Amino acid sequence: MYFLSGWPKRLLCAPRSPAEAPLHVQSDPRRAFFAVLAPARLSIWYSRPSVLIVTYKEPAKSSAQFGSYTQAEWRPNSTMIAVSTANGYILFFHITSSRGDKYLYEPVYPKGSPQMKGIPHFKEEHCAPALNLEMKKILDLQAPIMSLQSVLEDLLVATSDGLLHLIHWEGMTNGRKAINLSTVPFSVDLQSSRVGSFLGFADVHIKDMEYCATLDGFAVVFNDGKVGFITPVSSRFTAEQLHGVWPQDVVDGTCVAVNNKYRLMAFGCASGSVQVYTIDNTTGAMLLSHKLELTAKQYPDIWNKTGAVKLIRWSPDNSAVIVTWEYGGLSLWSVFGAQLICTLGGDFAYRSDGTKKDPLKINSMSWGAEGYHLWVISEFGSQHTQTDTDLGSAVKEPSILLFQFIKSVLTVNPCMSNQEQVLLQGEDRLYLNCGEASQTQNLKYSSARAEHMPRHEKSPFADGGLESPGLSTLLGHRHWHVVQISSTYLESNWPIRFSAIDKLGQNIAVAGKFGFAHYSLLTKKWKLFGNITQEQNMIVTGGLAWWNDFMVLACYNLSDRQEELRIYLRTSNLDNAFAHVTKAPIETLLLSVFRDMVVVFRADCSICLYSIERKSDGSSTTASVQVLQEVSMSRYIPHPFLVVSVTLTSVSTENGITLKMPQQARDAESIMLNLAGQLIMMQRDRSGPQIREKDSNPSQRKLVSNALPFCPPVVLAQSVENVWTTCRANKQKRHLLEALWLSCGGAGMKVWLPLFPRDHRKPHSFLSQRIMLPFHINIYPLAVLFEDALVLGAVNDTLLYDSLYTRNSAREQLEVLFPFCVVERTSQIYLHHILRQLLVRNLGEQALLLAQSCAALAYFPHVLELMLHEVLEEEASSREPIPDPLLPTVAKFISEFPLFLQTVVHCARKTEYALWNYLFAAVGNPKDLFEECLMAQDLDTAASYLIILQNMEVPAVSRQHATLLFNTALEQGKWDLCRHMIRFLKAIGSGESETPPSTPTSQEPSSSGGFEFFRNRSISLSQSAENVPPGKFGLQKTLSMPTGPSGKRWSKDSDCAENMYIDMMLWRHARRLLEDVRLKDLGCFAAQLGFELISWLCKERTRAARVDNFVVALKRLHKDFLWPLPIIPASSISSPFKNGKCRAVGEQLLKSQSADPFLTPEMDAGISTIQRSQSWLSSIGPTHRDADIASSPGPQMQDAFLSPLSNRGDECSIGSATDLTESSSMVDGDWTMVDENFSTLSLTQSELEHISMELASKGPHKSQVQLRYLLHIFMEAGCLDWCVVIGLILKESSVVSQILGIAQSSEIDGEMLQNIKAGLHAVDRWASTDCPGYKPFLNIIKPQLQKLSEITEELVQPDTFQPITVGKSPEQTSPRAEESRGSSSHGSITQSETGSNNSMVSRKEEDTTQADEEEPFQDGAYDCSVS
């Protein structure tokens, strides 16, 4: 509709004395000139440019006689101005152009510029003319003049003595005597007896009045506050022929304004509201249409303090009204009462520091051409008293302000309502909401486009354009695509009167004073008439529209004085030679395109239908038009100007189901006519004989069906501002596409929805086939997206810049007094309103059909939630009992959809607790809903229900349900949810205790909140020193305890039953995973939940952590880690890698690392162990690690570069390729040595084959990292049997050696060694029969196996359990290695001091390894590419 833009401009008119201060502004009928009155002067201003042309100053002597000027009125042809004065005089001024061809202001162009040459009307368009004002006549009416009104060739004057004077413009009364109001009869309507009650008392006079041409009468406000409408009963204007009607209930009227197009009278009242009346066509009584009033909800501090309404002004196109009050401020409303702008709230009323501003007080206002400007004479509040006289006085004195507006194209070109784009037109630019896309129409227009929502914008002009504007295009971001109108065209054709955009949002056409121009968004170029004479010879009268690649427009040809319908092709040059011209008998007022038809409405109230088709003759393409049908509407339309819009639609009262010929369902079935806000429908009359399909050829059948007569009109709705309909068809969404959408101002929107029987059953004869449903939306609708169930609109937003200026500057700028106004795009879902209205009317089946057709929309869950929420809020908070509650119906309706459980819980969590009982009484017990979620495996929704259960049930119940959910989440590996559940269970526990519940931070050692708690790997709070075995594991308790005050709190809570309860569940889950040989899941579980895996494994070493069946475990690990079973290469069993060349590499590596404190003599081939252990240590110093990762190249690059190295011999394990590449001690010197060693190997064909076999027998790199991680964990925990299994998979002979070392040096359970021995024998047997690939490796470790058998008989003292110092620090950090990236965990920092200084040496070396191994079990998504 109308939107404020930018800041207002202030015109320079600094008065030098109070007599020169402006007090009244009045535009001429063409809105090109403005008369500005001051107490003793009359000025004429030009509108573009806004400059002062001439001023008449009243001499002091006559000024004292006449009194100060009060009001002005223009003669309809703009040649005279009548000015009323305070002492009852009317002064008539003639306006004459002065000094022949001279102009006051002329544009200056550079020499030779094309603008100078041969443009007709050039002077009057570009130059401000020089005018003279001379007073011709003075009339003394001997009573103060209350109101002046120009009526055709007469001037109507109301004076304070109760008389109405009719004066000719030449200043003659023509012998007609004044009418005394007390003799005019008034009644409630025109049907009551001629003798109405007279006004009666003597001192009644008219305070304000305005003439309404379409009602032929005057809306008047009397001095006692009564309002009325006076109309001449016959053509003669005498007292006997006048009759007045008035409404009974208005007694505080202050002013009036009339809307001619909609036949509305807006009366301002002393209460601050505006009452808008219309005249009943049958009785002539005044009916209240609607009220314009501020609500306490929107403006709580000002709504009842505005004072009386001071001025009301309708916009030039009659689609909006502006209102101002005694208190000050402006408000803008649509014709039927939708509020668009109000300056009494928000940034208009408050400064950025929250202090209140004085409102803008308005003395007079007048709209400029086409409504782009509002001329305002303002005075600011009295507080701006400056001592500065020269500048300061300019603010507190009245000044002329120009407010700038942008308006919707629908206000002037209603044929745009069948488009899905929003187009706004400003004075010199256009705003579009479809600047991103440039696709061509695809009629399928599938709703799948709803899935890519606004966030993903298409690249500009992506696919050369083969699909319809997607939802992302039409919704898009908040910004407009702004198109600057060609300045060449604007210069001679300002103001822009019409604009139109094609269906795809690719091309725009604009029409100004003369001619038209069009713009392509693809090429970003304007196309103007080549011959300027042709442009200046046509005036577009009835609007313009696009039909495919053609522009269709109704215009008046000035040279031929002929009305025409013209069609221009977009791609050809803009010239009449390429236009198709059809002559029209009479002026066209409105034009609209439907499919291949053009409908025009003419000044004789007739509607004409044309068919339009494309014609190609060789090189040129044109369109041809032929008349189909003419329909006269003069019986139904009192005045052609009252028709707001005319559209052809395929909407009819029949659904297309009952039509005799189904393909007619989408033909032009009816004409929709908006007659002054009444929507009238005329349908095709199909009651006559129909042409059967086979009897005629298709083109003839089309012509006949398009020439069927129309039935008499039917009124569908009142107070209609805009109508939207589409000619597209979509079987899936028939409800939405065959509906008619109406915008009804303050009453919201209405939809005329078709009702379809289910499964094509025959409809009941007694059921209506359509239903009108009203619904409210919070935005002003400018376009409807039919399939997407969205309304698009625009809204004013404001930006304050007052902080840029100091408060007490010499002159308070407009930028400080006013916020900067911008227009934002906005959209709103309406589907929930319609579903609700259908349910209220017991049309649940229709609601279900409609909802199912839209279930694919991305925001459909939100629709259901909104509907449930709104009904719940209304019914649960109602003070009266509701006889027929809707909530149970809505709940039953939503339960038809799979989203039912989410919808209910989301709605509950966004609603206050007090309403929950009412909600769950309708939807079901939350316990049952929780169980349904668990059965449906929807754990996140179940978690939401848990919060509701916690509030509604006793703690025992919520704990029971939480335990269920926790166990299920553990099973399914939903780690985030598990962490939430642990915290939730703890919260329940702390809440049940005698002490008041502690705040969440008291349970979490880290101050950062969130889940940092788990980063210290200390969930097993109940663990005490006794559970931890002696020896190397004794370190763990001290290390994993956080230090500081939180640590004390922690140990105090450690015996809390709740923690024990959680630990029991975690232990149980870990036991189940180990029993099922699900090591991968166990690793994820431990890493994600910070489970104390090592200490738990220590306890379970002889129970759950035993390997019962080595072969089954081996197979399961191969499967889980995607690790291929080894195979024997066919070509050769012997290999160069077996013979010690590679051994040299290993030994050199050993030497290069010999400074490492962790090396012990027993680890004869322990390189891989060293490198692994370094990676565990790396998380000790996160700061070093981050720096290193930043500086070192990423592991992926090195993987590819170094892959040959990973084909190492079985007996010398030198770690994986990444292990080597990423230990920085070798990156410089030693690495080249490895290269040289390799380059000396001469590889034969068979050796290469062997290498590739080795590669093939390895699993993904990630699996390798994870397996090494687990190997380390089990080694720490002393679960040697698991170590052996993992060693077998990795083919790490060193593992067995290491186990031997441990067995020799410490007290190891003999049973475990027996188990290992038996297990390895079982694997050997299995390898012999099923998997010979394992035999070579088993042969390598045979000697160590025999050694193992010997050790099983020996006993070793536990005190010697020292050498593997590796365990000291890694144990603490490794299971959460991946977590330490984000936070420096408390434990690990203290650790770095306790760990010996030597650890610093190795820390840097494996920092890079850390990057890979940090997340071995992070998120369950594993890449399986072989490095």
Side-chain angles (χ1 to χ4, degrees):
M1 197 41 87
Y2 274 75
F3 306 97
L4 268 174
S5 168
W7 279 299
K9 297 176 186 168
R10 180 188 270 122
L11 298 187
L12 289 172
C13 64
R16 280 173 290 284
S17 69
E20 297 177 13
L23 55 88
H24 182 84
V25 61
Q26 184 72 37
S27 69
D28 79 322
R30 284 183 24 237
R31 300 183 195 273
F33 299 99
F34 288 83
V36 176
L37 292 185
R41 58 170 54 196
L42 164 66
S43 313
I44 305 293
W45 288 71
Y46 195 54
S47 66
R48 180 182 157 95
S50 304
V51 288
L52 177 62
I53 294 175
V54 63
T55 300
Y56 174 86
K57 294 182 185 175
E58 190 66 57
K61 186 180 173 189
S62 53
S63 177
Q65 177 195 345
F66 299 145
S68 63
Y69 294 173
T70 54
Q71 275 178 294
E73 186 68 17
W74 289 78
R75 190 171 180 169
N77 62 6
S78 300
T79 57
M80 286 180 78
I81 297 177
V83 175
S84 64
T85 69
N87 296 346
Y89 290 87
I90 295 181
L91 314 176
F92 291 89
F93 292 90
H94 271 242
I95 300 172
T96 53
S97 85
S98 62
R99 305 193 295 279
D101 205 24
K102 283 283 190 186
Y103 286 88
L104 197 60
Y105 294 94
E106 294 188 22
V108 178
Y109 294 107
K111 269 188 180 163
S113 106
Q115 279 94 340
M116 297 299 290
K117 302 185 189 106
I119 301 177
H121 322 294
F122 171 79
K123 286 292 190 196
E124 56 264 46
E125 295 308 331
H126 291 70
C127 312
L131 301 177
N132 275 347
L133 268 179
E134 52 181 314
M135 192 190 294
K136 281 283 183 177
K137 179 102 179 147
I138 300 167
L139 197 65
D140 183 5
L141 294 180
Q142 296 169 354
I145 293 163
M146 305 311 295
S147 181
L148 281 180
Q149 188 69 39
S150 176
V151 182
L152 309 176
E153 272 308 300
D154 291 313
L155 188 67
L156 189 69
V157 184
T159 53
S160 63
D161 53 6
L163 296 179
L164 269 177
H165 302 266
L166 200 61
I167 299 161
H168 196 267
W169 265 105
E170 297 303 330
M172 316 287 190
T173 54
N174 292 357
R176 290 177 284 189
K177 60 180 199 293
I179 298 163
N180 191 339
L181 283 176
S182 56
T183 63
V184 176
F186 274 81
S187 56
V188 176
D189 58 45
L190 290 176
Q191 284 183 333
S192 36
S193 61
R194 245 332 249 115
V195 188
S197 60
F198 293 94
L199 292 175
F201 34 95
D203 56 350
V204 171
H205 62 261
I206 290 175
K207 187 160 66 170
D208 192 15
M209 65 177 176
E210 193 169 332
Y211 176 66
C212 179
T214 50
L215 284 173
D216 189 28
F218 306 90
V220 294
V221 177
F222 296 107
N223 59 330
D224 62 351
K226 288 201 173 75
V227 302
F229 179 72
I230 298 175
T231 179
V233 180
S234 68
S235 55
R236 295 196 57 229
F237 196 88
T238 60
E240 295 76 51
Q241 298 299 329
L242 291 182
H243 190 119
V245 287
W246 56 11
Q248 299 294 301
D249 46 358
V250 182
V251 289
D252 61 345
T254 56
C255 55
V256 64
V258 163
N259 184 328
N260 277 305
K261 197 170 197 71
Y262 289 88
R263 301 172 103 180
L264 296 174
M265 296 168 277
F267 294 100
C269 300
S271 64
S273 70
V274 176
Q275 309 219 18
V276 185
Y277 279 86
T278 182
I279 295 286
D280 185 334
N281 285 335
T282 50
T283 65
M286 287 176 72
L287 299 176
L288 180 67
S289 165
H290 58 279
K291 287 184 181 185
L292 313 178
E293 50 193 357
L294 301 183
T295 59
K297 188 176 174 187
Q298 284 175 299
Y299 302 94
D301 49 350
I302 194 73
W303 67 280
N304 53 358
K305 302 190 184 85
T306 55
V309 175
K310 191 170 183 182
L311 295 166
I312 306 172
R313 295 283 182 269
W314 290 96
S315 64
D317 54 28
N318 291 292
S319 62
V321 62
I322 200 148
V323 176
T324 180
W325 296 274
E326 292 289 350
Y327 171 82
L330 274 178
S331 65
L332 184 67
W333 311 73
S334 76
V335 62
F336 287 110
Q339 187 184 315
L340 303 169
I341 303 161
C342 179
T343 66
L344 291 181
D347 290 344
F348 289 101
Y350 296 93
R351 297 185 182 86
S352 50
D353 58 7
T355 54
K356 204 160 167 38
K357 296 184 210 173
D358 270 13
L360 171 74
K361 286 194 164 58
I362 293 173
N363 292 336
S364 177
M365 57 186 174
S366 186
W367 284 96
E370 293 295 319
Y372 293 128
H373 292 120
L374 181 74
W375 288 57
V376 163
I377 293 192
S378 67
E379 54 165 319
F380 289 100
S382 55
Q383 75 178 44
H384 311 286
T385 48
Q386 284 100 347
T387 50
D388 224 308
T389 49
D390 52 338
L391 275 176
S393 58
V395 175
K396 69 171 187 244
E397 290 297 343
S399 57
I400 303 174
L401 298 181
L402 255 64
F403 286 89
Q404 302 168 74
F405 286 91
I406 299 167
K407 62 180 184 175
S408 162
V409 63
L410 293 174
T411 58
V412 283
N413 201 18
C415 71
M416 289 297 299
S417 67
N418 54 10
Q419 314 275 92
E420 303 205 343
Q421 288 93 2
V422 175
L423 177 62
L424 305 182
Q425 59 188 54
E427 178 182 29
D428 58 351
R429 66 198 65 192
L430 300 169
Y431 295 76
L432 295 86
N433 73 330
C434 53
E436 303 308 310
S438 62
Q439 311 93 333
T440 50
Q441 186 72 6
N442 170 7
L443 285 173
K444 292 193 186 70
Y445 209 70
S446 80
S447 77
R449 64 202 172 97
E451 261 95 77
H452 45 265
M453 279 297 280
R455 292 177 295 287
H456 321 298
E457 284 292 335
K458 292 190 180 141
S459 64
F461 316 130
D463 313 322
L466 287 172
E467 53 194 278
S468 56
L471 193 58
S472 57
T473 307
L474 295 169
L475 282 177
H477 42 61
R478 297 174 66 197
H479 303 293
W480 295 93
H481 188 89
V482 181
V483 175
Q484 201 75 33
I485 296 169
S486 158
S487 56
T488 316
Y489 179 74
L490 261 186
E491 209 163 43
S492 49
N493 298 296
W494 184 90
I496 295 299
R497 290 161 50 242
F498 302 104
S499 58
I501 188 167
D502 67 346
K503 272 213 162 60
L504 307 164
Q506 289 179 352
N507 303 294
I508 309 169
V510 297
K513 195 168 186 177
F514 300 103
F516 75 103
H518 63 89
Y519 175 84
S520 160
L521 272 88
L522 287 166
T523 61
K524 304 264 189 293
K525 285 185 179 159
W526 282 96
K527 203 176 261 191
L528 276 62
F529 272 96
N531 181 345
I532 200 133
T533 317
Q534 290 184 3
E535 176 190 278
Q536 300 289 316
N537 246 335
M538 66 183 278
I539 300 177
V540 176
T541 56
L544 71 167
W546 286 88
W547 176 73
N548 300 339
D549 254 1
F550 294 90
M551 280 147 290
V552 184
L553 47 97
C555 64
Y556 178 67
N557 184 332
L558 288 167
S559 55
D560 299 354
R561 302 195 174 172
Q562 171 69 51
E563 298 289 344
E564 294 172 343
L565 181 71
R566 296 191 188 183
I567 298 177
Y568 291 83
L569 179 64
R570 174 182 67 82
T571 48
S572 63
N573 286 343
L574 202 45
D575 194 291
N576 292 347
F578 301 107
H580 180 278
V581 180
T582 308
K583 292 188 174 174
I586 193 164
E587 184 187 353
T588 300
L589 299 180
L590 292 164
L591 166 146
S592 176
V593 173
F594 173 85
R595 294 221 169 143
D596 298 337
M597 294 169 77
V598 179
V599 55
V600 298
F601 176 77
R602 299 193 176 131
D604 60 354
C605 296
S606 66
I607 291 173
C608 185
L609 303 182
Y610 295 91
S611 73
I612 175 172
E613 58 181 317
R614 190 185 188 99
K615 284 226 168 131
S616 297
D617 44 338
S619 57
S620 66
T621 304
T622 57
S624 75
V625 162
Q626 100 193 68
V627 177
L628 286 177
Q629 193 174 359
E630 288 204 38
V631 185
S632 171
M633 296 289 292
S634 51
R635 288 171 55 195
Y636 310 109
I637 298 173
H639 195 294
F641 182 64
L642 297 174
V643 177
V644 180
S645 69
V646 59
T647 18
L648 264 180
T649 73
S650 50
V651 170
S652 69
T653 48
E654 306 282 313
N655 279 345
I657 296 168
T658 50
L659 286 175
K660 295 173 184 163
M661 294 158 70
Q663 91 280 350
Q664 290 169 348
R666 304 304 286 156
D667 284 347
E669 277 302 310
S670 58
I671 294 175
M672 295 285 175
L673 205 71
N674 184 347
L675 175 66
Q678 268 196 344
L679 188 65
I680 294 172
M681 178 173 81
M682 293 194 307
Q683 292 191 82
R684 296 252 186 225
D685 185 358
R686 293 192 180 273
S687 57
Q690 300 282 296
I691 292 173
R692 290 216 308 283
E693 207 149 324
K694 58 176 182 282
D695 294 351
S696 61
N697 64 359
S699 62
Q700 184 192 341
R701 190 171 68 243
K702 183 183 175 189
L703 275 178
V704 171
S705 86
N706 284 336
L708 282 172
F710 285 93
C711 302
V714 180
V715 176
L716 285 187
Q718 305 280 357
S719 306
V720 176
E721 291 180 7
N722 287 313
V723 184
W724 292 275
T725 163
T726 180
C727 57
R728 287 199 312 273
N730 180 336
K731 281 206 179 89
Q732 274 70 47
K733 297 193 173 178
R734 289 187 62 189
H735 278 95
L736 295 176
L737 282 166
E738 293 180 25
L740 186 72
W741 305 90
L742 317 175
S743 149
C744 301
M749 286 187 77
K750 289 182 181 167
V751 56
W752 200 37
L753 202 68
L755 302 179
F756 299 111
R758 202 163 194 172
D759 313 322
H760 306 290
R761 292 195 293 251
K762 196 173 183 316
H764 295 295
S765 54
F766 59 83
L767 272 183
S768 163
Q769 294 193 13
R770 279 189 178 267
I771 187 168
M772 187 71 81
L773 302 173
F775 59 94
H776 271 276
I777 59 169
N778 302 327
I779 63 175
Y780 188 85
L782 296 176
V784 176
L785 301 188
F786 304 97
E787 283 101 332
D788 298 304
L790 278 174
V791 173
L792 302 185
V795 64
N796 253 121
D797 200 4
T798 50
L799 303 165
L800 274 177
Y801 286 92
D802 58 0
S803 54
L804 303 179
Y805 303 93
T806 54
R807 176 68 56 79
N808 49 6
S809 57
R811 175 177 186 180
E812 198 153 349
Q813 275 93 344
L814 284 174
E815 293 82 358
V816 182
L817 295 167
F818 291 97
F820 185 81
C821 293
V822 289
V823 184
E824 296 285 7
R825 295 164 56 174
T826 176
S827 60
Q828 197 173 337
I829 303 169
Y830 57 72
L831 195 57
H832 56 293
H833 294 297
I834 296 177
L835 295 175
R836 181 179 169 181
Q837 293 285 350
L838 288 169
L839 293 176
V840 167
R841 290 163 172 76
N842 287 328
L843 292 168
E845 197 174 77
Q846 297 293 328
L848 205 56
L849 285 173
L850 172 58
Q852 281 162 349
S853 72
C854 297
L857 292 177
Y859 37 83
F860 183 70
H862 187 53
V863 168
L864 295 181
E865 203 182 306
L866 274 175
M867 178 165 68
L868 184 62
H869 186 78
E870 284 179 10
V871 175
L872 172 66
E873 289 268 305
E874 274 177 39
E875 294 189 359
S877 53
S878 162
R879 291 178 184 172
E880 313 292 320
I882 296 168
D884 189 12
L886 186 63
L887 191 63
T889 318
V890 170
K892 187 166 182 295
F893 174 77
I894 295 175
S895 67
E896 295 284 333
F897 295 91
L899 301 159
F900 172 66
L901 295 165
Q902 285 112 294
T903 306
V904 170
V905 79
H906 290 169
C907 174
R909 292 194 60 186
K910 291 172 189 169
T911 314
E912 54 186 295
Y913 172 66
L915 310 184
W916 284 5
N917 284 328
Y918 189 80
L919 171 65
F920 288 107
V923 298
N925 188 325
K927 284 192 278 195
D928 301 340
L929 300 175
F930 173 84
E931 279 155 25
E932 277 181 52
C933 291
L934 278 188
M935 285 168 69
Q937 303 288 306
D938 186 356
L939 301 192
D940 292 327
T941 308
S944 296
Y945 275 107
L946 204 52
I947 292 166
I948 285 163
L949 284 171
Q950 184 196 9
N951 285 301
M952 295 183 76
E953 302 283 347
V954 293
V957 173
S958 40
R959 173 191 286 184
Q960 177 193 343
H961 286 81
T963 310
L964 265 175
L965 180 58
F966 185 37
N967 284 329
T968 317
L970 283 172
E971 275 303 315
Q972 293 192 10
K974 296 272 180 76
W975 306 120
D976 271 346
L977 184 57
C978 289
R979 286 194 281 267
H980 279 294
M981 292 313 304
I982 289 170
R983 198 172 65 161
F984 183 80
L985 282 163
K986 285 193 170 165
I988 293 179
S990 60
E992 274 182 68
S993 62
E994 296 302 314
T995 56
S998 47
T999 55
T1001 45
S1002 69
Q1003 297 169 358
E1004 297 179 307
S1006 109
S1007 56
S1008 59
F1011 294 119
E1012 306 294 322
F1013 174 20
F1014 304 117
R1015 312 248 180 213
N1016 294 311
R1017 299 180 47 244
S1018 293
I1019 280 191
S1020 307
L1021 301 178
S1022 54
Q1023 202 170 289
S1024 59
E1026 295 85 62
N1027 317 64
V1028 185
K1032 67 166 187 171
F1033 303 113
L1035 277 167
Q1036 183 213 338
K1037 178 172 155 272
T1038 54
L1039 294 179
S1040 62
M1041 269 301 191
T1043 52
S1046 53
K1048 294 183 201 117
R1049 208 178 303 126
W1050 193 314
S1051 49
K1052 183 184 72 188
D1053 288 348
S1054 66
D1055 54 351
C1056 168
E1058 203 56 52
N1059 295 330
M1060 191 66 193
Y1061 178 66
I1062 293 166
D1063 279 349
M1064 293 296 288
M1065 283 192 279
L1066 293 171
W1067 293 342
R1068 190 185 323 139
H1069 184 66
R1071 198 172 294 126
R1072 194 177 311 132
L1073 291 176
L1074 261 187
E1075 282 164 2
D1076 298 348
V1077 201
R1078 287 161 57 189
L1079 281 203
K1080 187 162 195 168
D1081 292 346
L1082 181 70
C1084 285
F1085 162 70
Q1088 293 282 355
L1089 297 186
F1091 178 65
E1092 284 284 3
L1093 195 51
I1094 293 178
S1095 59
W1096 178 79
L1097 285 170
C1098 289
K1099 288 187 289 183
E1100 296 287 334
R1101 208 179 322 180
T1102 54
R1103 297 194 292 268
R1106 269 189 56 164
V1107 183
D1108 295 329
N1109 186 331
F1110 272 59
V1111 177
V1112 171
L1114 204 56
K1115 284 183 183 168
R1116 179 70 193 245
L1117 290 186
H1118 272 290
K1119 184 180 160 199
D1120 277 3
F1121 287 94
L1122 307 173
W1123 202 273
L1125 288 165
I1127 45 178
I1128 295 180
S1131 57
S1132 71
I1133 303 300
S1134 73
S1135 149
F1137 288 94
K1138 294 271 193 294
N1139 62 16
K1141 280 187 187 172
C1142 194
R1143 171 70 105 187
V1145 181
E1147 283 161 4
Q1148 279 166 323
L1149 283 176
L1150 268 172
K1151 287 172 196 156
S1152 74
Q1153 296 276 8
S1154 57
D1156 199 296
F1158 293 124
L1159 282 180
T1160 56
E1162 292 90 33
M1163 296 183 182
D1164 53 341
I1167 304 298
S1168 61
T1169 321
I1170 293 166
Q1171 302 210 321
R1172 275 203 315 281
S1173 65
Q1174 290 169 352
S1175 72
W1176 310 133
L1177 281 166
S1178 70
S1179 65
I1180 290 172
T1183 48
H1184 292 278
R1185 190 193 67 248
D1186 293 345
D1188 274 30
I1189 286 175
S1191 61
S1192 65
Q1196 291 84 356
M1197 296 189 283
Q1198 296 162 342
D1199 282 354
F1201 170 56
L1202 297 165
S1203 48
L1205 248 186
S1206 57
N1207 314 308
R1208 56 191 182 281
D1210 293 314
E1211 75 276 18
C1212 64
S1213 165
I1214 54 172
S1216 69
T1218 47
D1219 288 337
L1220 277 172
T1221 59
E1222 289 165 350
S1223 72
S1224 55
S1225 67
M1226 303 189 300
V1227 164
D1228 308 322
D1230 300 10
W1231 192 236
T1232 51
M1233 167 274 300
V1234 177
D1235 255 15
E1236 285 156 14
N1237 272 324
F1238 261 122
S1239 60
T1240 58
L1241 304 174
S1242 50
L1243 299 176
T1244 63
Q1245 175 68 31
S1246 61
E1247 292 160 356
L1248 279 170
E1249 270 182 35
H1250 182 81
I1251 291 175
S1252 64
M1253 294 306 299
E1254 284 286 317
L1255 266 177
S1257 69
K1258 290 187 69 170
H1261 173 67
K1262 190 160 190 171
S1263 295
Q1264 190 176 342
V1265 172
Q1266 291 172 345
L1267 282 166
R1268 291 184 180 287
Y1269 174 81
L1270 285 170
L1271 178 60
H1272 172 83
I1273 293 281
F1274 284 122
M1275 191 72 85
E1276 286 287 317
C1279 298
L1280 303 181
D1281 37 5
W1282 273 113
C1283 296
V1284 171
V1285 175
I1286 297 172
L1288 281 172
I1289 280 197
L1290 291 172
K1291 296 194 185 172
E1292 295 275 8
S1293 56
S1294 60
V1295 173
V1296 186
S1297 316
Q1298 210 170 335
I1299 291 165
L1300 284 175
I1302 295 171
Q1304 284 167 357
S1305 57
S1306 73
E1307 185 187 274
I1308 292 290
D1309 189 358
E1311 199 180 324
M1312 183 183 284
L1313 293 181
Q1314 289 286 3
N1315 190 27
I1316 291 172
K1317 192 173 76 168
L1320 282 170
H1321 284 307
V1323 170
D1324 196 28
R1325 287 195 298 278
W1326 167 72
S1328 307
T1329 56
D1330 291 352
C1331 186
Y1334 263 116
K1335 284 305 269 182
F1337 180 68
L1338 290 169
N1339 291 338
I1340 290 165
I1341 60 170
K1342 207 162 234 171
Q1344 290 156 331
L1345 257 176
Q1346 286 158 359
K1347 207 169 179 185
L1348 187 67
S1349 323
E1350 296 161 18
I1351 294 172
T1352 46
E1353 281 84 40
E1354 299 170 18
L1355 284 175
V1356 188
Q1357 288 299 103
D1359 297 341
T1360 54
F1361 200 90
Q1362 282 309 322
I1364 309 184
T1365 343
V1366 197
K1368 180 166 63 177
S1369 133
E1371 178 281 316
Q1372 183 266 331
T1373 44
S1374 57
R1376 294 300 292 155
E1378 71 279 12
E1379 291 282 341
S1380 63
R1381 169 190 303 176
S1383 69
S1384 54
S1385 45
H1386 297 62
S1388 54
I1389 290 174
T1390 52
Q1391 174 73 33
S1392 61
E1393 277 94 271
T1394 56
S1396 62
N1397 293 330
N1398 305 329
S1399 64
M1400 302 297 282
V1401 181
S1402 61
R1403 180 183 305 141
K1404 275 207 178 76
E1405 292 164 5
E1406 62 319 357
D1407 283 344
T1408 36
T1409 324
Q1410 180 68 19
D1412 245 333
E1413 301 198 357
E1414 253 171 359
E1415 306 195 356
F1417 295 107
Q1418 194 62 29
D1419 43 13
Y1422 307 110
D1423 53 331
C1424 299
S1425 54
V1426 178
S1427 54

